[in-house]
Amino acid sequence: MKAKYLKSIHVPHYKRTAGDIPNRMDLPKSVTIPMSMHIGAPCTPVVKVGDHVAIGQIIGDSTAFVSAPIHASVSGKVKAVDTMLLSSGALTTAVTIE
């Protein structure tokens, strides 16, 4: 049986942004990272208010069978460890980094 190959499709660019100059966005003052970001068990924060964290540092971890650690996406000082409402309507623990 012969393999069939699909031709590539070129979609025209209609957004009229191809010639625009990229805009730099200001960095946010703080970032809130939920401890439940996957289908596994939620993580427990391993940092506390006042700690300094670096990009990539583990800020949440779990010993559950199905889980993954959560890493900081920004560097800064931990401003709060409290709860937040997820888009699903569930409450979860969250770490706010300033």
Side-chain angles (χ1 to χ4, degrees):
M1 182 174 188
K2 252 183 159 177
K4 293 182 181 181
Y5 295 99
L6 297 175
K7 292 182 180 181
S8 62
I9 298 172
H10 177 72
V11 179
H13 183 74
Y14 289 117
K15 294 183 182 176
R16 294 177 173 66
T17 59
D20 289 357
I21 297 171
N23 293 323
R24 282 202 171 276
M25 294 178 64
D26 293 333
L27 293 174
K29 300 283 183 206
S30 65
V31 174
T32 301
I33 304 170
M35 294 291 105
S36 181
M37 296 179 68
H38 42 68
I39 63 168
C43 290
T44 302
V46 296
V47 293
K48 60 185 182 308
V49 175
D51 287 353
H52 185 273
V53 296
I55 291 176
Q57 178 179 335
I58 293 177
I59 59 171
D61 208 356
S62 175
T63 57
F65 178 67
V66 178
S67 188
I70 296 177
H71 300 79
S73 56
V74 295
S75 293
K77 189 176 182 180
V78 177
K79 178 182 174 184
V81 176
D82 50 13
T83 58
M84 73 176 285
L85 186 64
L86 297 176
S87 59
S88 67
L91 286 174
T92 189
T93 304
V95 173
T96 301
I97 302 171
E98 192 172 60

